[in-house]
Amino acid sequence: MLVRSLKECPEFIAGDKTKIRELLHPDKADVKLDYSLAHATLEPGEISALHTLNTSEVYYVLSGRGRMEIEGEFRDVAAGDTVYIPPLGRQRIEALGEEKLAFLCIVCPAWRAEDEDVLE
């Protein structure tokens, strides 16, 4: 059995400027997964850099409010919302309001730095 606490996962700033804690990644834990799972946050008013991934991605919003942009289309999101981002979709998210935006990122196949292209 593998149980990971968010507190034991080191935080780093991703290429898109979000704060990330990788919860599960097949290259970093003894797990047989095709995907990776990370916890991401943005402080109020912050916006991630416009970027693409070669892979599909799903965001699940845990807390806060945000404005998601995918291929120039905008949609407000909040806790409980799920967002599908297709491979190579130009994307970014902005934290709205006064609460930190927190969301899970599921990337399939698992995230690799070489699959990400930051556009700004």
Side-chain angles (χ1 to χ4, degrees):
M1 176 186 302
L2 173 65
V3 177
R4 299 282 312 263
S5 168
L6 184 62
K7 295 175 196 172
E8 70 187 47
C9 301
E11 184 177 89
F12 64 94
I13 305 297
D16 70 352
K17 307 224 181 356
T18 55
K19 294 177 188 148
I20 298 286
R21 292 179 187 261
E22 285 189 317
L23 297 165
L24 292 173
H25 195 292
D27 293 344
K28 298 174 183 171
D30 187 20
V31 292
K32 294 185 181 357
L33 298 174
D34 294 330
Y35 62 89
S36 59
L37 174 65
H39 181 274
T41 60
L42 285 169
E43 296 297 325
E46 290 182 334
I47 186 168
S48 65
L50 187 64
H51 65 286
T52 63
L53 289 176
N54 293 338
T55 57
S56 64
E57 187 170 20
V58 172
Y59 286 178
Y60 178 77
V61 181
L62 298 168
S63 61
R65 295 183 311 110
R67 178 164 296 125
M68 186 77 217
E69 177 186 354
I70 303 173
E71 291 297 324
E73 182 180 346
F74 294 85
R75 179 88 179 261
D76 286 355
V77 295
D81 288 343
T82 302
V83 180
Y84 168 73
I85 304 157
L88 300 175
R90 294 167 56 95
Q91 60 161 307
R92 67 177 142 204
I93 189 166
E94 178 180 7
L96 302 176
E98 297 180 18
E99 183 181 355
K100 180 188 297 188
L101 177 64
F103 53 101
L104 295 177
C105 306
I106 302 167
V107 180
C108 187
W111 181 87
R112 298 178 319 154
E114 57 267 25
D115 289 338
E116 183 173 36
D117 186 18
V118 177
L119 305 171
E120 53 183 36

